[in-house]
Amino acid sequence: MNKKNLALAIIMGLSFAKGVFAADPETEREEFDINSITYIQEEVEINLGFDVADYLPEDFDPYKQYVDLNSIEFIEEENDNDIATSKYLPVGFDAYANPNGIEGINYIDENDSFELTIDSKKYLPKGFNAYAK
């Protein structure tokens, strides 16, 4: 019985030591290269019901750039609206300026609201119906 316990203790000690050294971060590791992975791409064939090559030019290359977008010159138009409205604004007006104090903030007061009480029936013909077709 003693020999069996001793043998079992030795085997357990060796397996434990092997497990401890297996997790050693200083052991050599194989470097992993992500480019070594080969991907399998399934080519999906789309059937349009006709041959698209019949409708393309003979020397058509989908990867060739036919138009150089950097060669296009853009014309900037002068905005006359800024000039026309500036005469109606106060001198030194800045639409993007922050208010300097609480006095510079405008708010709408409920007591300042009013209703126009114009009776439009006086000015319309008798029997006028705006919803009639």
Side-chain angles (χ1 to χ4, degrees):
M1 185 80 172
N2 223 357
K3 289 183 181 180
K4 290 181 180 179
N5 287 339
L6 182 61
L8 184 61
I10 290 173
I11 292 172
M12 292 294 287
L14 289 175
S15 64
F16 179 72
K18 186 176 179 182
V20 169
F21 291 120
D24 186 17
E26 295 182 14
T27 58
E28 288 187 30
R29 291 187 182 177
E30 182 179 329
E31 290 294 324
F32 178 71
D33 184 17
I34 191 126
N35 296 325
S36 66
I37 298 175
T38 56
Y39 294 99
I40 301 172
Q41 291 184 342
E42 181 180 337
E43 291 189 23
V44 179
E45 187 174 321
I46 299 173
N47 186 3
L48 298 175
F50 60 93
D51 188 15
V52 294
D54 296 339
Y55 299 95
L56 295 173
E58 291 179 10
D59 297 330
F60 179 75
D61 182 12
Y63 301 106
K64 182 180 176 186
Q65 187 175 9
Y66 291 99
V67 177
D68 184 17
L69 296 177
N70 294 327
S71 67
I72 299 173
E73 295 181 19
F74 294 100
I75 301 171
E76 293 184 20
E77 296 181 14
E78 293 181 18
N79 193 355
D80 293 335
N81 294 340
D82 295 337
I83 299 168
T85 58
S86 62
K87 62 183 176 182
Y88 301 110
L89 296 173
V91 177
F93 176 76
D94 184 11
Y96 301 105
N98 292 326
N100 294 332
I102 193 72
E103 298 85 17
I105 299 174
N106 295 328
Y107 63 95
I108 299 172
D109 189 4
E110 291 180 8
N111 297 331
D112 291 343
S113 64
F114 59 92
E115 293 182 21
L116 297 175
T117 55
I118 298 174
D119 188 16
S120 61
K121 292 181 182 178
K122 295 180 189 177
Y123 305 105
L124 295 174
K126 291 183 181 179
F128 176 79
N129 186 2
Y131 303 107
K133 290 185 180 181

